[in-house]
Amino acid sequence: MSVLSLSSSLSLPTQRLRLQPLVPAGTAAQTRHVSSQFLLDGARELIIQHQGSEYHLRLTRNDKLILTK
């Protein structure tokens, strides 16, 4: 089960989403399509935890996405 931390630039409390796998365990996974609007949920920044590191997905003023470590 994947865990994503959502936070906004307004220092709001961190929320956690639990995403269910799209394919049953043991089957070949296909490429998933997820809306950035769904992931950001009105915030301008999303923190993704991956293998002990944090990655920041930010929405710019020009509506571009930037992923940084």
Side-chain angles (χ1 to χ4, degrees), residues 2-67:
S2 302
V3 176
L4 298 176
S5 295
L6 297 178
S7 66
S8 71
S9 57
L10 300 175
S11 300
L12 296 175
T14 300
Q15 301 172 4
R16 298 211 179 261
L17 282 180
R18 296 204 180 271
L19 301 177
Q20 297 296 326
L22 295 179
V23 293
T27 61
Q30 296 180 3
T31 302
R32 295 174 24 182
H33 293 239
V34 180
S35 165
S36 62
Q37 292 173 336
F38 171 78
L39 288 175
L40 292 169
D41 193 28
R44 301 207 55 92
E45 181 176 14
L46 168 72
I47 299 172
I48 302 168
Q49 296 176 346
H50 176 70
Q51 296 183 351
S53 295
E54 285 189 352
Y55 294 82
H56 296 257
L57 181 66
R58 290 187 179 95
L59 181 62
T60 69
R61 288 182 217 162
N62 295 326
D63 289 328
K64 306 268 186 199
L65 293 174
I66 298 176
L67 180 66

